[in-house]
Amino acid sequence: MADYPAHLAHERRLSDGRSVLIRPIRLEDEGEEREFFDRLSSETRRMRFMTFVRSVSDKLIHFFTHIDYDKHMAFVCETTGGRRREIVGEARYVAYPDGRNCEFGVVIADAWHKSGIAGLLMEALIRAARERGMRTMEGLVLRENRQMVRFVRQLGFEVSPFGGDPTTVRALKQL
């Protein structure tokens, strides 16, 4: 596992005046990552995992927080105001076996939808993928998730049908 890339952390001010920290996830974030996913509404979890998920398993939380910062990169958005910091969004990619293409995922806490943090997280993720030599980034999105489909299009992803599945679209971006 590579050393923690602290240089990728950046504090940002949102249009509403709140400050957040966009940074790579750490091993020590396991508890906060668990709390983040537990706070998501069932609908937000369903949109992220494309199926009903009552709670995220300990094994998946471990996978989400124990990354190598190369073939698996994840950024979290952390609140910086108030007494206690908390994770309110995350975006990640996992490289395919070829090491040149990757799949992404992004999820934002319900209270933070439309705050701008999804764009900040994806900007950091796309930049990191480019720096590591990835050629493409792709993800599957439920067709009914119109907000996400619109969002990835705004980021320059091409959206197309996915196989014979009428419920899913594929979002692909050349890096």
Side-chain angles (χ1 to χ4, degrees):
M1 183 180 299
D3 291 334
Y4 181 75
H7 67 283
L8 297 178
H10 299 284
E11 192 160 333
R12 303 293 295 268
R13 184 166 304 281
L14 304 178
S15 61
D16 65 7
R18 291 182 288 185
S19 291
V20 295
L21 178 66
I22 305 295
R23 64 168 177 81
I25 201 162
R26 298 182 297 244
L27 296 170
E28 306 84 54
D29 289 327
E30 251 187 69
E32 289 81 9
E33 185 79 342
R34 157 72 56 214
E35 290 175 14
F36 168 66
F37 277 101
D38 286 348
R39 283 191 314 267
L40 296 177
S41 68
S42 59
E43 181 66 4
T44 296
R45 277 194 305 275
R46 186 177 76 80
M47 291 296 176
R48 169 60 178 92
F49 296 109
M50 299 175 49
T51 189
F52 175 75
V53 175
R54 184 177 310 275
S55 66
V56 179
S57 71
D58 292 339
K59 184 177 179 179
L60 188 56
I61 294 294
H62 182 84
F63 173 76
F64 280 172
T65 55
H66 292 69
I67 65 171
D68 66 9
Y69 303 112
D70 182 30
K71 293 189 179 354
H72 185 181
M73 173 56 95
F75 288 91
V76 293
C77 178
E78 186 177 71
T79 59
T80 58
R83 296 179 303 228
R84 183 173 178 266
R85 292 177 179 243
E86 68 179 348
I87 294 173
V88 295
E90 69 145 49
R92 70 183 56 249
Y93 74 72
V94 178
Y96 291 132
D98 66 10
R100 305 290 290 159
N101 303 288
C102 61
E103 182 175 5
F104 80 94
V106 59
V107 63
I108 306 301
D110 294 86
W112 289 76
H113 286 189
K114 299 183 181 182
S115 66
I117 64 173
L120 296 175
L121 285 164
M122 286 300 293
E123 176 185 290
L125 193 69
I126 290 167
R127 185 173 43 251
R130 282 183 176 138
E131 287 173 2
R132 282 155 185 81
M134 299 291 166
R135 291 186 296 211
T136 65
M137 179 178 280
E138 70 176 329
L140 299 179
V141 179
L142 288 174
R143 184 180 300 277
E144 70 183 271
N145 192 348
R146 291 186 182 100
Q147 187 176 4
M148 181 64 169
V149 171
R150 190 170 38 255
F151 173 68
V152 294
R153 280 190 171 128
Q154 290 171 345
L155 292 174
F157 284 78
E158 294 177 26
V159 176
S160 60
F162 178 68
D165 183 355
T167 66
T168 306
V169 295
R170 177 180 181 226
L172 176 69
K173 181 174 181 70
Q174 300 294 323
L175 301 175

